Amino acid sequence: MKMIRAIIRPERIEHTVDDLDEAGFVALTKIDVIGRGKQKGIHQDNISYDELPKRLIMLVVEDESVDQAIDVITESAFTGNFGDGKIFVSPVEKNLYSKN
C-alpha cells in the first residue's frame, strides 16, 4: 500500500475530489495548508504574499492503483501555472485502524 499526498490549489480541490471519487478512490482526507514553492510566494507590484493557501489531499491506495490515482490528481488539479502543486508517494507499512 502507498500513501499519496497531493498539495493543490484550493480552487481545484472539489474538481479533483470528484474525479477521484468517479475513479473509485472514495476514501481520502482534505486539509487546509499554507506554504510556498520555489518562487517564494507571489510578488505583484508592491505587494508580496510569502505564503499561499493550498489544500492537501491524502489517500492510501493499493500498490497497483498508484499510477491511476496520480494520473487523476494530475489531470484534475492542472492549471498550467506555477503553484499547481506537488505529489508525494510513501510506503504504508501498517493500516492499524481499518478492518477492511
Side-chain angles (χ1 to χ4, degrees), residues 31-47:
I31 303 170
D32 293 331
V33 296
I34 298 174
R36 66 179 184 202
K38 294 178 188 176
Q39 298 78 29
K40 298 181 183 177
I42 294 177
H43 309 283
Q44 296 176 337
D45 300 323
N46 293 332
I47 301 173

Side-chain angles (χ1 to χ4, degrees), residues 8-69:
I8 65 173
R9 294 172 175 270
E11 65 270 17
R12 301 301 295 171
I13 189 74
E14 293 309 321
H15 179 67
T16 304
V17 168
D18 290 345
D19 285 354
L20 283 166
D21 184 42
E22 287 177 22
F25 302 103
V26 296
L28 56 81
T29 301
K30 299 185 295 184
I31 303 170
D32 293 331
V33 296
I34 298 174
R36 66 179 184 202
K38 294 178 188 176
Q39 298 78 29
K40 298 181 183 177
I42 294 177
H43 309 283
Q44 296 176 337
D45 300 323
N46 293 332
I47 301 173
S48 291
Y49 302 97
D50 291 336
E51 296 176 335
L52 302 169
K54 298 288 183 176
R55 296 289 173 91
L56 174 66
I57 299 173
M58 296 187 332
L59 61 155
V60 175
V61 302
E62 297 294 334
D63 290 344
E64 60 271 8
S65 299
V66 171
D67 289 339
Q68 180 189 6

